[in-house]
Amino acid sequence: MSGLDGPSGRRCSRERGFTLIELLTVITIVAILSSIVFGLGRRVSEGGRISRASAELATLSVALEGYRQVHGDYPRTDDAAQMLQALIGRRDPLMNQMQSRALLDPAAFVTERQGDPFMDEGIRLTDPWGQPYRYTHRSLAFWTNASYVLYSAGPDGVADQTLVAGGYPDLGAPLNHDNIYANR
């Protein structure tokens, strides 16, 4: 009877569709594969953000070194907005107003609220996670660090900003495990 089993019209067991267990198994396999693919995509994206932050910190470091060569010292502040003002030629190392040549093009970076640092002195550069870069130089009386501390708080956006003796970041602090430093 060509696939029908008797007068009731039931199909033979060989021609039935998928069972519920088979369907659930296929759905589970598809879900597992999807999560693996999306997880890899997130890791690649996160790796790209880390690379971008490292590149931006390297660019800022070059600008800070140029600033030191021109002005004899790094910007003496613990305010990243003032550091940016110094790098665009508007502040001397002691944070007095001045006009000089810019050592950094802020258009190559993302700023808070997409602000213009030439119009708003409080604007800071932000990392790929939308958090401001952090900067400190000679803000403490016992500063022996010959350089500065410049970093991104990393993917989690939190950092222990306490400096250890001499003006160095506490690289062992649990909150600093994913920070990206310019001059480690």
Side-chain angles (χ1 to χ4, degrees):
M1 289 198 148
S2 73
L4 294 179
D5 226 9
S8 68
R10 286 191 173 148
R11 294 197 176 268
C12 295
S13 64
R14 290 186 317 236
E15 295 182 24
R16 280 190 298 151
F18 294 108
T19 65
L20 180 60
I21 292 181
E22 290 170 332
L23 286 174
L24 289 175
T25 303
V26 169
I27 290 170
T28 302
I29 290 170
V30 168
I32 289 170
L33 291 174
S34 296
S35 67
I36 289 171
V37 169
F38 288 129
L40 289 174
R42 267 188 251 123
R43 274 189 252 149
V44 168
S45 175
E46 197 62 32
R49 287 179 179 170
I50 291 169
S51 294
R52 183 176 137 210
S54 295
E56 287 179 350
L57 287 168
T59 301
L60 288 168
S61 291
V62 168
L64 284 165
E65 290 304 323
Y67 185 89
R68 186 182 61 79
Q69 288 178 352
V70 169
H71 299 287
D73 200 359
Y74 302 105
R76 289 189 179 195
T77 183
D78 60 357
D79 183 346
Q82 288 183 346
M83 177 214 47
L84 178 56
Q85 289 298 304
L87 294 180
I88 63 172
R90 297 188 158 208
R91 298 269 176 194
D92 71 9
L94 298 176
M95 295 298 103
N96 299 311
Q97 288 190 343
M98 64 168 213
Q99 290 296 320
S100 72
R101 139 181 112 83
L103 299 168
L104 181 77
D105 179 10
F109 294 84
V110 176
T111 59
E112 291 177 308
R113 305 177 308 278
Q114 290 76 41
D116 181 353
F118 293 101
M119 303 302 282
D120 182 351
E121 290 189 6
I123 294 294
R124 298 176 291 181
L125 301 175
T126 59
D127 66 16
W129 300 276
Q131 300 296 318
Y133 284 111
R134 295 159 189 204
Y135 173 83
T136 298
H137 178 67
R138 295 207 181 156
S139 60
L140 306 171
F142 60 91
W143 189 278
T144 59
N145 183 349
S147 189
Y148 50 84
V149 179
L150 174 65
Y151 64 98
S152 161
D156 68 3
V158 296
D160 181 352
Q161 297 181 22
T162 305
L163 298 177
V164 295
Y168 296 93
D170 185 359
L171 300 178
L175 294 177
N176 295 343
H177 76 281
D178 68 340
N179 291 1
I180 304 163
Y181 292 90
N183 52 352
R184 237 165 126 158

